[in-house]
Amino acid sequence: MSKPKILQEGQSYTFRSYFEFPYETEDILAELGYSFSRARMTLPSSQRVPQRLPELRQQIEELLPLVTLSSETARREIMVAPVLSELARFCKCQMRLEYPLQVSSQLKGNLDYLLRNMNTNERGKNFLVVEAKNDDLSRGFTQLSAELIALAIAEEQDILYGAVTVGDTWRFGLLEQQPLHITQDITLYRVPDDLDILMQILIGIIE
């Protein structure tokens, strides 16, 4: 007996739909033609860090006791946006928020954060960040995977990095077109404790 399909022919799905699916990431990705694995990844890392990084860490540490991070808006404003804004400023890269993208009826919606370094080559280098809803990194990674697939198709990129975050925790992923595979990093990075390492990785990827 064949396994019932998750993605129904003729149905329309947004990136948010993939977060809401109650299925395993590997089962969903298999229907999109991708294999999936979890591993400890060796991520790109830069030796350069912004001079303003200590101030950013101090700002986050001073605000954390004063702000309740129970809402998505609070996490975005206090934890996510300041880190990515400093990354964009330091790397001189474009940052797009709620960037609309549609490659098919099954892959469409808005990308939370799209960072694009146009200095690397003709097409530029892209990096995706998804802010996971409901503090759910697992389902957030499924959404990130769908967005990585859509962006890789749209930009014709063979290798594409992304990350999913709930503000104080980050997890990275890698899409490879040869073969069609997505890897989830088993390492988690914490903010503010791992902010230096996190920023070095973010800079390493975008540059």
Side-chain angles (χ1 to χ4, degrees):
M1 185 175 175
S2 62
K3 195 174 180 180
K5 277 193 164 292
I6 298 170
L7 303 175
Q8 300 299 314
E9 196 170 337
Q11 290 293 313
S12 181
Y13 301 100
T14 66
F15 299 133
R16 180 64 185 264
S17 303
Y18 291 88
F19 177 87
E20 295 168 348
F21 280 138
Y23 306 106
E24 295 295 330
T25 303
E26 49 260 52
D27 294 336
I28 295 171
L29 292 185
E31 295 202 9
L32 293 171
Y34 282 73
S35 55
F36 174 76
S37 64
R38 296 178 179 89
R40 190 176 302 280
M41 293 169 53
T42 302
L43 295 163
S45 181
S46 172
Q47 295 305 307
R48 303 191 310 130
V49 293
Q51 287 186 339
R52 298 196 294 200
L53 196 59
E55 287 85 351
L56 176 60
R57 181 189 295 102
Q58 182 179 358
Q59 171 190 319
I60 293 172
E61 289 181 348
E62 288 177 352
L63 284 172
L64 277 177
L66 308 174
V67 180
T68 302
L69 297 177
S70 55
S71 74
E72 294 167 18
T73 302
R75 289 194 294 270
R76 180 172 61 248
E77 296 295 327
I78 302 301
M79 304 292 288
V80 182
V83 171
L84 293 180
S85 296
E86 183 60 26
L87 173 67
R89 185 200 66 79
F90 184 75
C91 294
K92 303 286 192 293
C93 58
Q94 299 174 353
M95 182 166 68
R96 300 286 183 261
L97 282 66
E98 295 295 316
Y99 184 79
L101 179 66
Q102 178 171 351
V103 298
S104 70
S105 61
Q106 294 186 335
L107 292 168
K108 63 180 182 178
N110 292 331
L111 310 177
D112 288 357
Y113 300 92
L114 172 62
L115 288 104
R116 179 170 290 168
N117 184 355
M118 302 305 293
N119 302 316
T120 54
N121 53 48
E122 285 187 11
R123 298 196 63 81
K125 182 174 283 189
N126 297 291
F127 176 64
L128 263 179
V129 178
V130 167
E131 185 185 343
K133 313 297 184 283
N134 306 326
D135 277 343
D136 195 329
L137 278 175
S138 180
R139 290 192 179 186
F141 193 88
T142 305
Q143 178 180 338
L144 172 66
S145 299
E147 294 186 12
L148 285 171
I149 292 171
L151 189 61
I153 293 170
E155 297 288 326
E156 298 179 0
Q157 285 195 287
D158 293 331
I159 294 177
L160 194 57
Y161 284 95
V164 57
T165 179
V166 292
D168 59 355
T169 308
W170 290 65
R171 166 167 274 150
F172 287 88
L174 169 66
L175 176 147
E176 297 169 285
Q177 292 286 54
Q178 300 294 332
L180 297 175
H181 186 79
I182 290 178
T183 305
Q184 180 189 85
D185 192 4
I186 62 173
T187 305
L188 295 175
Y189 298 88
R190 311 283 182 180
V191 174
D193 291 355
D194 300 326
L195 184 58
D196 283 36
I197 299 171
L198 176 66
M199 187 62 77
Q200 286 178 309
I201 292 170
L202 293 171
I203 294 169
I205 289 172
I206 203 70
E207 290 188 339

